[in-house]
């Protein structure tokens, strides 16, 4: 492949040999020989020169051609010895090579024809070095001489070798030192003709001596080769060496048609990419490959054919990555790091194929190669086809994402699409854009008009052509030409070109001897040696314009593309790409200082956007599938607020909406595109609303507008809640309240705004049972209402059905209102306080009627100080006992125990009617409440205990629990027990109601025994024996208990005689009961 390079100026190179000077030091004109030899050495193959000079080229001419054939600038040397954007901190060969040169480490330089050799002294030890000559050893460092050789042709270095054998794609420091030495000190080097020319001057005897001495000097290495060549020369005339004219000469010039590319170690490039792929997706590996891409861009700017060559090698290695097959077969999206690499690769190929100076055969070769790659089974697509909904894209709490409005909307639409069989359109290959670029006709009239600067009106018509809006709100043309989000990112390219034209480079340190760069952008050493320069952006007048500067044009162009209506892409990767490009462009705009000229551009542009006839994202109507502009609007608002406050708020009010709000039939489910970046959109909307809220402080009319916009357009509960808390913080610390006297002052307007946003939060989350932040939201809203005042609290009580559940209303709202701290903070008069408390009690009763299962206990507590309300709350409990949870019902009974025992007994009796304990529920949480209820009935009297035990027998089937109740009831009740045992009569097990309870306990023990034996294992034998011991103790409480227990054991022995080991244990433990 031929190399196509920019023409080098003959008299403008910084490191060109100086013109000849006379004895007085004056500059003299170069000789015609040098001028012609310089041109020939740069552009003409040496073989072509030999054809014109027969039989031999004159020695002076030959020496001058060889002299001028070596490169004259170190720019390319720097490119091949510096890795672009390398921040690893490792030693850069170019820098190290310059230091070696400055320390006079280059020795024994000799140029023989088109070959340059020399020695470089270095104290760095290279582990892979071979053929090293140790010339000195001092301390712990070894000073080593490295042998360097390089070939060159037509001002390019075509091959390099060094004894250090550094395994890297970059040239080593020794090669750099020798090459730069030749460029800077060409006249200090001994120059010889090609070795073939020297051999022509020798006779037969001299040639024989030359060959024998050469063999003797290196007989170990070259003797076998010498014998082989001799055999071929003296052998058959049909051998290749005898049939070929001439002989190879490594010091001679190139033949016609030979490539003269700069030397690139393709093996090292290939191994480096393989190493990256083998390590997986790690940050450092990813950075290394991106640095290689930057090196390709650098080569492309230098018009070096090694750029496409290096890109081809990398592409071939990436296409055989095993992960491509894994992602496609498993229908998984590509990892983000890999997607970044492939997108960069695609852009590079487009840049290569768009080269207007590339020959047609190269373009066709690239097109064929790209087409072949795109047809491979596992070739990546331009965008991933797999629909994976990302949960979070920024620093948000994942637990809130399920409650995101847009997330839920996307989930419903995805279900709808899956059921209806909606499929994504086939995606383009990652190389399709590059393939299309191969067909670009550079002779096209319109394209030539753009290149020649005659297309200003055409471009303006492309961007600024108004589109007529129909009566139904639709536009003539759809906004489907997305400049932002395009895989090639043309917006960034155009913007960079216009801004770079406005950059002036200042130098504040003239001592730049070691820096070869012409400008800051072209510095091959990146930022290492260019600290003497700085950049400044100024207005530079653009030619053929009405006094417009490149900076103003670039700024207006960025504003224009950011504000155009554009479709939300259907693909998740495409949406992510659009988001990143938009953020990057806005970030660049933020770095530009807005002066008076740009302020005028900004104001004029925004006024144009607010015109409904222009299809911008600020139009009064936009399609529901258009991209939201919150991020860009945020930038516009911040830029305009100090310039034109009214215009800034117009932008904010118009842009805080979501495009999905622009529906006509109120149906949210008609969204056509799934918004994969929903979290980012909602976060941007929140940031815009928050900025507007802060700017509207002390501006009541604007604050009202912001509040209406927020309530109408913000649907994300998470961000609404954050916004409400932000407004509260602003209200408690208003503008200007920095002095001690004003620190306790509140911004009442902002406080009311915070309260109203909080109302919206509770409305939206009322039926979201899965929202884990709901409790915090309710408590915050009630606290905010307390800060606002009594009217806010009355509002909450009046609208409680649309804001709270009955449980929240009683447990949070009413209890907070009736708390002492709240009443003290409100500082109401006695009449208003009584009215507020009465209203709160009525609300508690209303909630108890509507949801007795969760509100009755709180209603009783709230109404305790008012007899009528308290009685009404009690009747609600009695009327709804069957729906109140059992544990709640016992809690109500315990509450009455402290004030009204008989009401406590009545509620406990109602609760006992619903108790149902199985035989194996001895540790059930309700057991303690059963014990308490029986104890309560026992303390009141025998009739109450009798009635309670009836329900206990009916509902409790757990033998140990019944036995415990039996023993508890056999002891004196707490209220009638006489201290000292003065004759208080105890209830006997023979009398009611304990005899009934005893009988029930014995029957439960018998039934439970059979239940346990039905599924018993040997590991449970010891527990079973303990259970029988407890049963025996209960049996013995009855008159004929011993007989009953004996019969029970006999029945067990008969029924379960197959369980011999268990029965043996039973007989050994209870054998005395079986003796007659």
């Amino acid at each position: 492949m031929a190399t196509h390079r920019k023409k080098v100026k003959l008299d403008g190179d910084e490191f060109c040999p100086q013109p000849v000077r006379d004895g007085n030091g004056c500059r003299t004109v170069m000789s015609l020989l040098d001028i012609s030899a310089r041109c020939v050495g740069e552009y003409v193959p040496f073989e072509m020169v030999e054809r014109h000079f027969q039989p031999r080229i004159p020695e002076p001419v030959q020496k001058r051609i060889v002299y001028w054939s070596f490169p004259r600038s170190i720019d390319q040397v720097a490119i091949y010895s510096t890795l672009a954007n390398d921040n690893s901190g490792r030693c850069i060969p170019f820098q190290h090579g310059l230091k070696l040169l400055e320390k006079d480490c280059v020795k024994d330089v000799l140029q023989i024809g088109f070959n340059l050799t020399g020695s470089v002294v270095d104290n760095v030890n290279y582990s892979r070095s071979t053929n090293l000559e140790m010339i000195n050893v001092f301390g712990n460092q070894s000073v080593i001489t490295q042998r360097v050789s390089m070939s060159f042709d037509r001002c390019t270095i075509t091959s390099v070798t060094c004894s250090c054998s550094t395994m890297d794609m970059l040239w080593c420091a020794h090669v750099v030192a020798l090459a730069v030495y030749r460029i800077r000190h060409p006249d200090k080097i001994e120059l010889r003709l090609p070795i073939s020319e020297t051999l022509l001057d020798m006779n037969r005897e001299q040639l024989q001596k030359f060959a024998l001495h050469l063999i003797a000097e290196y007989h170990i290495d070259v003797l076998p080769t010498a014998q082989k060549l001799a055999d071929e020369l003296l052998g058959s005339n049909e051998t290749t060496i005898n049939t070929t004219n001439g002989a190879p000469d490594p010091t001679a010039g190139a033949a016609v048609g030979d490539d003269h590319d700069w030397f690139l170690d393709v093996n090292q490039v290939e191994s480096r990419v393989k190493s990256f792929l083998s390590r997986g997706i790690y940050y450092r590996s990813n950075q290394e490959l991106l640095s290689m891409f930057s090196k390709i861009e650098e080569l492309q700017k230098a018009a070096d054919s090694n750029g496409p060559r290096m890109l081809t090698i990398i592409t071939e290695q990436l296409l055989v990555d095993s992960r491509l097959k894994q992602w496609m077969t498993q229908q998984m999206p590509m990892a983000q790091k890999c997607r970044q690499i492939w997108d960069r690769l695609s852009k590079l190929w487009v840049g290569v194929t768009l080269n207007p100076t590339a020959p047609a055969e190269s373009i066709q070769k690239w097109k064929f190669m790209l087409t072949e790659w795109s047809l491979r089974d596992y070739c990546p697509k331009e965008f991933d086809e797999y629909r994976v909904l990302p949960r979070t894209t920024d620093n948000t709490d994942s637990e809130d994402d399920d409650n995101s409005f847009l997330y839920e909307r996307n989930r419903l639409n995805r279900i709808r699409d899956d059921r209806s069989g909606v499929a994504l359109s086939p995606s383009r290959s990652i190389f399709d854009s590059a393939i299309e670029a191969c067909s670009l006709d550079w002779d096209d009239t319109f394209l030539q008009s753009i290149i020649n600067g005659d297309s200003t009106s055409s471009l303006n018509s492309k961007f600024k052509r108004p589109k007529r809006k129909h009566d139904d709100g639709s536009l003539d043309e759809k906004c489907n030409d997305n400049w932002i989000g395009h895989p090639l990112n043309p917006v960034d390219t155009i913007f960079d070109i216009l801004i770079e034209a406005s950059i002036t480079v200042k130098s504040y340190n003239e001592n730049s001897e070691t820096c070869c760069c012409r400008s800051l952008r072209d510095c091959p050493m990146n930022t290492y040696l260019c600290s003497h320069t700085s950049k400044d952006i100024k207005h530079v007048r653009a030619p053929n314009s009405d006094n417009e500067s490149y900076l103003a044009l670039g700024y207006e162009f960025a504003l224009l593309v950011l504000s155009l209506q554009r479709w939300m892409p259907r693909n998740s990767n495409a949406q992510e790409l659009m988001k990143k490009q938009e953020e990057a462009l806005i970030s660049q705009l933020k770095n530009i200082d807005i002066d008076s000229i740009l302020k005028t551009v900004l104001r004029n542009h925004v006024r144009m956007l607010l015109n409904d006839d222009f299809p911008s994202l600020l139009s009064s109507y936009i399609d529901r599938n258009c991209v939201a502009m919150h991020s860009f609007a945020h930038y516009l608002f911040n830029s305009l607020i100090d310039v034109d406050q009214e215009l800034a708020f117009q932008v904010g009010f118009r842009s805080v909406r979501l495009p999905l709000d622009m529906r006509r039939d109120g149906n949210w489910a008609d969204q056509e595109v799934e918004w994969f970046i929903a979290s980012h959109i909602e976060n941007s909307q929140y940031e815009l609303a928050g900025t507007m809220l802060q700017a509207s402080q002390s501006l009541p009319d604007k604050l009202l507008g912001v509040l209406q916009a927020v309530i109408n357009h913000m649907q994300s509960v998470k961000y609404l809640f954050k916004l409400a808390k932000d407004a509260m913080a602003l209200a408690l610390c208003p503008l200007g309240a920095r002095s001690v006297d004003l620190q306790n002052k509140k911004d009442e307007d902002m406080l009311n705004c915070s309260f109203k946003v909080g109302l919206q939060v509770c409305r939206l989350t009322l039926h979201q049972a899965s929202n884990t932040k709901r409790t915090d939201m309710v408590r915050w809203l009630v606290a905010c209402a307390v800060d606002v005042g009594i009217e806010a609290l009355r509002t909450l009580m009046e609208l409680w059905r649309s804001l709270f559940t009955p449980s929240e209303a009683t447990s949070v709202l009413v209890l907070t209102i009736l708390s002492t701290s709240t009443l003290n903070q409100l500082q109401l008069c006695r009449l208003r306080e009584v009215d507020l408390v009465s209203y709160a009690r009525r609300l508690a009763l209303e909630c108890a009627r509507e949801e007795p299962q969760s509100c009755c206990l709180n209603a009783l507590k709230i109404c305790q100080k008012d007899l009528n309300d308290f009685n009404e709350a009690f009747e609600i409990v009695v009327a709804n006992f069957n729906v109140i949870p059992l544990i709640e019902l016992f809690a109500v009974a315990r509450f009455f125990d402290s004030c009204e025992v008989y009401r406590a007994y009545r509620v406990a009796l109602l609760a006992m009617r619903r108790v149902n304990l199985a035989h194996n529920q001895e540790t059930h949480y309700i057991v303690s409440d059963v014990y308490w209820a029986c104890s309560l009935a026992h303390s009141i009297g025998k009739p109450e205990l009798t009635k309670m035990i009836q329900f206990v027998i009916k509902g409790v089937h757990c033998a140990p629990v019944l036995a415990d109740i039996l023993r508890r009831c056999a002891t004196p009740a707490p209220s009638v027990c006489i201290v000292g045992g003065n004759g208080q009569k105890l209830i006997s097990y023979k009398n009611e109601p304990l005899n009934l309870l005893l009988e029930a306990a014995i029957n439960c023990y018998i039934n439970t025994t059979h239940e346990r034996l039905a599924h018993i294992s040997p590991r449970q034998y010891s527990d079973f024996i303990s259970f029988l011991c407890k049963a025996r103790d209960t049996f013995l409480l009855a008159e004929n208990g011993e007989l009953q227990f004996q019969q029970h054991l006999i029945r067990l022995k008969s029924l379960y005689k197959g369980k011999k080991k268990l029965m043996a244990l039973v007989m050994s433990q209870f054998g005395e009961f079986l003796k007659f």
Side-chain angles (χ1 to χ4, degrees):
M1 184 185 300
T3 304
H4 311 283
R5 294 174 174 78
K6 299 177 182 178
K7 304 301 181 183
V8 180
K9 294 182 180 179
L10 297 180
D11 56 354
D13 199 318
E14 179 182 356
F15 296 104
C16 284
Q18 296 298 322
V20 180
R21 298 178 182 271
D22 59 16
N24 297 324
C26 299
R27 296 164 63 97
T28 61
V29 178
M30 291 178 64
S31 66
L32 290 176
L33 175 59
D34 275 325
I35 293 175
S36 59
R38 183 170 182 170
C39 293
V40 170
E42 185 170 0
Y43 300 112
V44 181
F46 191 70
E47 183 187 18
M48 185 176 293
V49 179
E50 289 180 320
R51 291 177 183 176
H52 286 79
F53 290 89
Q54 293 294 338
R56 293 180 64 181
I57 305 173
E59 183 175 335
V61 175
Q62 209 171 157
K63 282 191 173 183
R64 298 318 293 171
I65 292 175
V66 170
Y67 177 90
W68 291 107
S69 293
F70 198 86
R72 302 167 202 137
S73 173
I74 68 173
D75 289 347
Q76 287 293 105
V77 177
I79 289 177
Y80 283 93
S81 56
T82 307
L83 191 60
N85 301 331
D86 183 19
N87 298 322
S88 61
R90 65 176 184 173
C91 179
I92 297 178
F94 183 76
Q95 285 183 317
H96 185 47
L98 293 181
K99 292 180 180 178
L100 291 175
L101 180 61
E102 292 172 359
K103 295 178 180 179
D104 197 23
C105 294
V106 181
K107 310 290 183 181
D108 305 327
V109 182
L110 175 64
Q111 180 178 340
I112 303 176
F114 294 87
N115 183 268
L116 182 70
T117 60
S119 301
V120 180
V121 180
D122 195 359
N123 59 0
V124 178
N125 188 14
Y126 296 84
S127 60
R128 296 187 178 90
S129 298
T130 57
N131 300 325
L132 304 181
E133 178 186 355
M134 306 293 295
I135 64 172
N136 187 20
V137 177
F138 56 95
N140 294 325
Q141 285 189 330
S142 300
V143 179
I144 304 171
T145 297
Q146 307 288 0
R147 297 295 302 173
V148 183
S149 175
M150 61 183 66
S151 299
F152 53 91
D153 174 42
R154 284 169 278 178
C155 293
T156 58
I157 297 175
T158 57
S159 68
V160 298
T161 57
C162 181
S163 59
C164 72
S165 301
T166 303
M167 306 298 290
D168 199 349
M169 57 176 284
L170 300 178
W171 294 357
C172 67
H174 316 110
V175 172
V176 172
L178 181 61
V180 176
Y181 182 88
R182 170 60 176 81
I183 292 171
R184 291 186 176 178
H185 311 292
D187 296 327
K188 295 182 179 180
I189 298 174
E190 184 179 2
L191 181 61
R192 300 290 183 88
L193 294 177
I195 194 66
S196 56
E197 295 292 331
T198 305
L199 294 178
L200 289 175
D201 294 334
M202 295 182 184
N203 56 33
R204 179 182 179 86
E205 183 179 356
Q206 289 174 326
L207 287 173
Q208 288 179 339
K209 286 186 177 182
F210 175 79
L212 291 173
H213 278 284
L214 184 62
I215 294 172
E217 184 73 19
Y218 301 102
H219 66 279
I220 297 177
D221 296 326
V222 304
L223 188 57
T225 304
Q227 185 61 52
K228 177 184 176 182
L229 292 176
D231 293 341
E232 291 181 358
L233 286 169
L234 297 174
S236 173
N237 293 331
E238 301 299 328
T239 57
T240 304
I241 195 170
N242 287 323
T243 57
T244 304
N245 294 328
D249 181 4
T251 64
V256 176
D258 284 355
D259 290 336
H260 59 291
D261 300 333
W262 283 83
F263 175 74
L264 175 68
D265 194 338
V266 294
N267 293 328
Q268 287 300 320
V269 174
E270 183 175 330
S271 63
R272 191 162 188 161
V273 179
K274 287 181 178 179
S275 175
F276 159 74
L277 295 176
S278 65
R279 286 191 300 239
I281 308 170
Y282 299 105
Y283 173 79
R284 177 66 185 275
S285 301
N286 186 63
Q287 290 299 107
E288 287 182 2
L289 193 54
L290 292 178
S291 181
M292 295 175 71
F293 287 156
S294 298
K295 176 59 65 177
I296 294 173
E297 291 177 343
E298 195 175 0
L299 293 171
Q300 284 294 102
K301 291 177 183 177
D304 193 323
S305 60
N306 277 327
R309 186 182 176 197
M310 185 174 176
L311 185 59
T312 302
I313 296 171
I314 295 175
T315 306
E316 286 284 3
Q317 293 302 315
L318 290 177
L319 282 171
V320 297
D321 185 6
S322 60
R323 285 170 294 187
L324 293 178
K325 179 179 179 180
Q326 176 185 351
W327 288 324
M328 289 197 176
T329 54
Q330 297 180 2
Q331 294 190 350
M332 296 171 55
M334 187 181 295
Q336 192 62 35
K337 295 289 186 182
C338 289
R339 170 54 59 182
Q340 182 183 6
I341 290 171
W342 280 104
D343 289 343
R344 184 80 174 271
L345 187 79
S346 174
K347 295 177 187 177
L348 288 173
W349 272 117
V350 172
V352 168
T353 55
L354 282 178
N355 183 5
T357 63
E361 57 271 18
S362 296
I363 297 293
Q364 291 304 316
K365 176 184 176 182
W366 293 332
K367 184 176 182 180
F368 176 82
M369 185 169 55
L370 291 167
T371 304
E372 189 272 329
W373 286 339
S374 65
L375 296 176
R376 293 189 183 182
D377 292 338
Y378 305 116
C379 177
K381 303 300 181 182
E382 193 170 54
F383 297 112
D384 285 335
E385 297 178 355
Y386 312 114
R387 309 175 67 186
V388 177
L389 186 64
R391 301 300 301 268
T392 53
T393 55
D394 50 17
N395 295 326
T396 58
D397 297 330
S398 59
E399 61 185 354
D400 292 331
D401 290 342
D402 290 336
N403 301 319
S404 167
F405 165 74
L406 289 180
Y407 186 94
E408 182 66 16
R409 178 55 48 202
N410 288 335
R411 186 183 66 82
L412 295 177
N413 286 339
R414 183 169 49 177
I415 295 174
R416 178 199 64 190
D417 291 348
D418 292 342
R419 290 176 177 175
S420 60
V422 175
L424 293 175
S425 58
S427 181
R428 289 156 46 92
S429 161
I430 197 78
F431 301 111
D432 278 4
S433 296
I435 295 172
E436 293 170 357
C438 292
S439 303
L440 180 66
D441 182 11
W442 286 98
D443 296 327
D444 180 77
T445 305
F446 182 71
L447 184 58
Q448 286 298 320
S449 65
I450 296 177
I451 295 174
N452 297 328
D454 301 329
S455 58
T456 305
S457 60
S458 300
L459 286 175
N460 287 341
S461 65
K462 169 66 178 176
F463 283 106
K464 301 183 179 181
R465 179 174 68 255
K467 300 179 181 180
R468 184 173 62 85
K469 188 172 67 175
H470 299 295
D471 294 336
D472 62 352
S474 61
L475 300 174
D476 281 339
E477 300 181 24
K478 286 191 174 182
C479 43
N480 53 4
D481 293 333
N482 290 357
W483 281 62
I484 296 180
H486 193 281
L488 302 180
N489 199 3
V491 172
D492 189 59
T493 303
I494 297 173
F495 181 77
D496 283 348
I497 291 173
L498 294 173
I499 296 302
E500 285 179 9
S502 308
I503 295 178
T504 59
V505 181
K506 291 183 177 180
S507 177
Y508 53 85
N509 181 8
E510 299 300 331
N511 184 18
S512 58
E513 180 180 353
T514 59
C515 181
C516 62
C517 57
R518 294 286 189 272
S519 66
L520 189 64
R521 184 178 182 85
D522 296 328
C523 177
M525 292 174 288
N526 213 352
T527 59
Y528 294 100
L529 297 177
C530 288
S531 59
H532 59 279
T533 58
S534 64
K535 294 190 295 184
D536 190 17
I537 301 178
K538 292 184 177 181
H539 288 280
V540 179
R541 184 180 178 276
N544 302 325
S545 65
D546 299 332
N547 293 324
E548 289 185 295
S549 67
Y550 287 115
L551 179 58
L553 289 173
Y555 187 72
E556 186 176 11
F557 169 75
L559 296 178
L560 187 60
V561 295
L562 284 167
S563 56
L564 286 174
Q565 289 188 20
R566 55 187 184 273
W567 283 112
M568 175 68 77
R570 291 183 176 274
N571 186 276
S572 61
N573 283 104
Q575 291 183 17
E576 191 70 24
L577 180 63
M578 175 182 287
K579 182 195 78 172
K580 290 182 178 180
Q581 289 186 8
E582 182 183 42
E583 289 178 340
L585 186 57
I586 293 174
S587 177
Q588 292 186 73
L589 289 179
K590 291 178 180 179
N591 292 330
I592 298 177
D593 294 331
I594 304 179
D595 56 14
S596 58
I597 297 176
L598 297 184
K599 287 179 182 177
T600 303
V601 172
L602 179 62
R603 278 196 298 263
N604 293 338
H605 181 76
V606 170
R607 291 191 183 102
M608 179 183 66
L609 296 180
L610 293 172
N611 186 350
D612 282 350
D613 290 335
F614 185 79
S616 74
L617 290 170
L618 285 179
S619 300
S620 58
Y621 172 78
I622 56 177
D623 193 277
R624 65 180 179 274
N625 293 308
C626 281
V627 178
M629 67 167 297
H630 303 126
S631 297
F632 178 51
H634 193 197
Y635 168 77
L636 292 178
F637 186 87
N638 285 331
S639 302
L640 286 169
I641 192 64
D642 296 328
V643 178
D644 191 330
Q645 187 183 84
E646 188 64 31
L647 194 61
F649 276 102
Q650 288 184 35
V651 171
F653 293 148
R654 186 71 68 86
S655 59
V656 77
R657 66 194 174 186
L658 278 171
L660 292 178
D661 292 339
M662 303 294 102
R663 60 198 186 283
R664 301 189 183 282
D665 55 0
N667 182 18
W668 289 97
D670 60 355
Q671 176 189 351
E672 297 178 5
V673 180
E674 189 171 351
W675 288 30
F676 294 93
I677 54 173
S679 180
H680 166 74
I681 293 172
E682 290 173 335
N683 182 67
S684 301
Q685 186 186 36
Y686 156 72
E687 290 178 349
L688 173 61
T691 302
M692 293 172 60
L693 198 67
Q694 188 171 4
S696 62
Q697 197 170 6
S698 73
L699 300 173
D701 55 334
K702 302 300 182 188
L703 181 60
L704 180 59
V706 174
L707 175 61
Q708 291 175 352
V710 167
I711 292 177
N712 290 336
H713 300 300
M714 287 190 68
Q715 301 291 335
S716 171
V717 175
K718 170 185 174 180
Y719 290 110
L720 272 172
F721 188 38
K722 290 179 67 175
L723 193 65
K725 292 192 287 187
D726 292 345
M728 171 68 80
L730 291 172
L732 298 180
C733 187
L735 292 175
R738 299 294 183 266
S739 63
V740 178
D741 297 335
L742 298 177
Q743 284 181 356
N744 294 325
K745 184 179 179 180
K746 297 180 181 178
D747 187 336
E748 298 296 336
D749 292 332
M750 188 63 71
L751 196 59
N752 276 287
C753 176
S754 174
F755 173 68
K756 291 178 181 178
V757 176
L759 291 177
Q760 180 72 357
V761 170
C762 285
R763 287 192 193 99
L764 295 176
T765 58
L766 179 58
H767 302 294
Q768 292 183 1
S770 61
N771 195 317
T772 57
K773 300 292 184 180
R774 168 70 182 179
T775 303
D776 295 337
M777 295 171 180
V778 170
R779 293 184 184 278
W780 182 89
L781 178 61
V782 174
C784 180
V786 173
D787 288 334
V788 174
I790 185 173
E791 294 303 324
L793 291 173
R794 293 188 69 90
T795 299
L796 294 183
M797 289 190 289
E798 292 171 358
L799 304 176
W800 76 269
R801 292 180 183 276
S802 62
L803 300 173
F804 312 112
T805 63
S807 176
E808 291 169 345
T810 54
S811 62
V812 180
L813 176 60
V814 177
L815 288 179
T816 301
I817 292 175
L818 298 181
S819 65
T820 305
S821 59
T822 300
L823 295 176
N824 291 338
Q825 182 177 346
L826 293 175
Q827 295 181 349
L828 302 174
C829 66
R830 180 61 181 170
L831 183 61
R832 297 190 70 187
E833 182 177 322
V834 170
D835 181 61
L836 179 64
V837 172
S838 176
Y839 198 162
R841 287 171 179 163
R842 290 196 299 272
L843 174 59
L845 292 174
E846 185 178 356
C847 294
R849 293 190 195 95
E850 187 163 324
E851 195 175 285
Q853 58 268 30
S854 61
C855 300
C856 282
L857 181 58
N858 285 329
L860 288 168
K861 293 177 181 178
I862 291 167
C863 300
Q864 190 172 6
K865 294 183 180 180
D866 186 281
L867 182 60
N868 293 330
D869 291 342
F870 188 71
N871 291 334
E872 186 175 352
F874 174 74
E875 293 302 326
I876 293 174
V877 172
V878 174
N880 298 277
F881 81 95
N882 57 333
V883 298
I884 300 176
L886 198 56
I887 191 170
E888 186 79 8
L889 203 57
F890 274 115
V892 172
R894 288 176 183 269
F895 168 76
F896 279 117
D897 190 23
S898 61
C899 54
E900 298 188 24
V901 175
Y902 283 98
R903 282 186 173 180
Y905 168 75
R906 185 178 176 184
V907 175
L909 198 63
L910 292 174
M912 191 60 68
R913 293 173 62 179
R914 295 177 51 198
V915 170
N916 185 15
L917 284 176
H919 70 91
N920 57 350
Q921 291 184 307
E922 183 179 355
T923 58
H924 195 275
Y925 65 88
I926 210 70
V927 170
S928 61
D929 289 318
V930 173
Y931 289 158
W932 173 84
C934 293
S935 176
L936 176 66
H938 187 26
S939 66
I940 296 175
K942 185 176 180 180
E944 288 76 12
L945 179 61
T946 302
K947 195 168 185 178
M948 182 67 70
I949 286 179
Q950 291 176 0
F951 291 109
V952 168
I953 294 173
K954 185 180 295 185
V956 178
H957 307 289
C958 181
V961 174
L962 289 175
D964 284 347
I965 296 173
L966 179 65
R967 291 180 176 83
R968 289 168 184 259
C969 293
T971 60
S975 59
V976 298
C977 180
I978 300 174
V979 179
N982 55 0
Q984 173 64 34
K985 188 176 180 180
L986 303 179
I987 302 178
S988 173
Y989 293 116
K990 301 177 182 179
N991 300 328
E992 291 187 358
L994 295 189
N995 61 342
L996 299 176
L997 186 58
L998 177 59
E999 182 180 355
I1002 291 174
N1003 291 333
C1004 282
Y1005 268 117
I1006 294 173
N1007 294 333
T1008 303
T1009 301
H1010 293 295
E1011 290 285 346
R1012 297 188 65 167
L1013 285 174
H1015 306 286
I1016 197 169
S1017 65
R1019 290 180 299 177
Q1020 298 171 333
Y1021 286 175
S1022 60
D1023 291 339
F1024 181 73
I1025 297 299
S1026 300
F1027 172 77
L1028 283 182
C1029 290
K1030 294 180 181 179
R1032 177 197 58 191
D1033 296 341
T1034 303
F1035 271 87
L1036 294 178
L1037 295 176
E1039 289 186 12
N1040 57 347
E1042 185 174 351
L1043 178 61
Q1044 292 185 52
F1045 188 67
Q1046 183 186 54
Q1047 293 174 350
H1048 180 54
L1049 292 177
I1050 294 173
R1051 193 179 301 111
L1052 292 179
K1053 184 178 180 181
S1054 174
L1055 292 176
Y1056 303 100
K1057 57 185 177 181
K1059 301 181 183 295
K1060 296 181 180 181
K1061 184 176 180 180
L1062 178 61
M1063 290 300 107
L1065 290 175
V1066 171
M1067 293 303 106
S1068 64
Q1069 183 70 29
F1070 306 105
E1072 67 272 12
F1073 289 96
L1074 298 178
K1075 296 177 181 179
F1076 296 97

